[in-house]
């Protein structure tokens, strides 16, 4: 008896957009922040200068008469 080879064709299964997005969300990792340090902001310089100018002055020592 001779062996019989059976050829089966496998057709590709195409994923829809829902399957692609589910797979992408499983594979992709959220990006971690590089540093938690404060970032330089040029607008903050004006606010800090204004706060320094508006801050109350230290009380002076009472003078002896």
């Amino acid at each position: 008896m001779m062996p019989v080879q059976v050829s089966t064709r496998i057709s590709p299964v195409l994923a829809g957009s829902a399957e692609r997005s589910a797979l992408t969300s499983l594979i992709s990792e959220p990006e971690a922040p590089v540093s938690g340090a404060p970032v330089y902001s040029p607008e903050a310089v004006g606010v800090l200068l204004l706060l320094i100018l508006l801050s109350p002055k230290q009380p002076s020592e009472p003078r002896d008469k």
Side-chain angles (χ1 to χ4, degrees):
M1 189 177 212
M2 293 184 70
V4 177
Q5 269 187 335
V6 178
S7 174
T8 58
R9 294 191 72 183
I10 300 173
S11 61
V13 177
L14 300 176
S17 62
E19 288 86 2
R20 271 192 217 124
S21 64
L23 183 62
T24 304
S25 67
L26 290 173
I27 293 174
S28 66
E29 296 179 12
E31 189 172 323
V34 176
S35 171
V39 180
Y40 172 73
S41 174
E43 298 87 23
V45 175
V47 173
L48 290 175
L49 183 61
L50 182 65
L51 288 174
I52 290 172
L53 292 174
L54 294 177
S55 64
K57 299 188 185 265
Q58 292 182 349
S60 60
E61 299 275 330
R63 297 184 189 165
D64 290 333
K65 289 188 181 183

